[in-house]
Amino acid sequence: QVQLVESGGGLVQAGGSLRLSCAASGRTFSTYTMGWFRQAPGKEREFVATISWLGQGTYYGDSVKGRFTISRANARNTLYLQMNSLKPEDTAVYYCAARAKGDMTTRQRAYDYWGQGTQVTVSS
């Protein structure tokens, strides 16, 4: 069992940057594949990025590729999402998720644990 708590969301102007954090409880964080997802108002939740358990592999959704960077600090039980060149269409609630077994995936149902989300709002 792992609990996830996101932080770092807020209001930012277009072109700005934010860094989201996801703090995980438990001693098995380093064995989990991790991911970020987001859900905009009136839309379905979508994949943003995923990272392997050692951090050597990453994969991004097309809409954030080249602007967002996912990383992790296993010694701190923390997942990060650095978001640069933000656009109004990036406005959403951002969720981190943990997958206990298996490789990186974009499929939401493959993740076992979810945080409560943090709001990111990008103004134009």
Side-chain angles (χ1 to χ4, degrees):
Q1 187 81 7
V2 62
Q3 292 184 329
L4 305 172
V5 179
E6 301 96 335
S7 61
L11 174 64
V12 64
Q13 289 187 333
S17 299
L18 279 176
R19 188 175 81 156
L20 304 183
S21 298
C22 173
S25 65
R27 293 179 287 181
T28 56
F29 173 77
S30 61
T31 66
Y32 288 92
T33 294
M34 299 296 296
W36 286 100
F37 293 79
R38 67 185 182 186
Q39 186 167 21
K43 295 186 177 181
E44 293 186 352
R45 190 160 58 185
E46 67 170 353
F47 167 77
V48 174
T50 182
I51 188 167
S52 60
W53 62 284
L54 274 180
Q56 76 277 31
T58 59
Y59 185 76
Y60 297 90
D62 288 341
S63 61
V64 306
K65 200 172 297 182
R67 300 187 298 122
F68 290 11
T69 303
I70 188 172
S71 62
R72 65 192 298 165
N74 285 344
R76 300 176 186 172
N77 278 15
T78 305
L79 175 73
Y80 301 101
L81 184 68
Q82 178 67 43
M83 305 186 295
N84 298 329
S85 302
L86 283 162
K87 306 174 181 179
E89 51 264 44
D90 294 318
T91 295
V93 176
Y94 284 72
Y95 300 90
C96 69
R99 186 182 191 197
K101 294 181 180 179
D103 296 330
M104 296 186 294
T105 180
T106 64
R107 295 184 299 111
Q108 298 183 42
R109 293 187 177 183
Y111 290 82
D112 303 289
Y113 306 103
W114 292 81
Q116 83 291 346
T118 186
Q119 176 70 48
V120 171
T121 303
V122 184
S123 63
S124 57

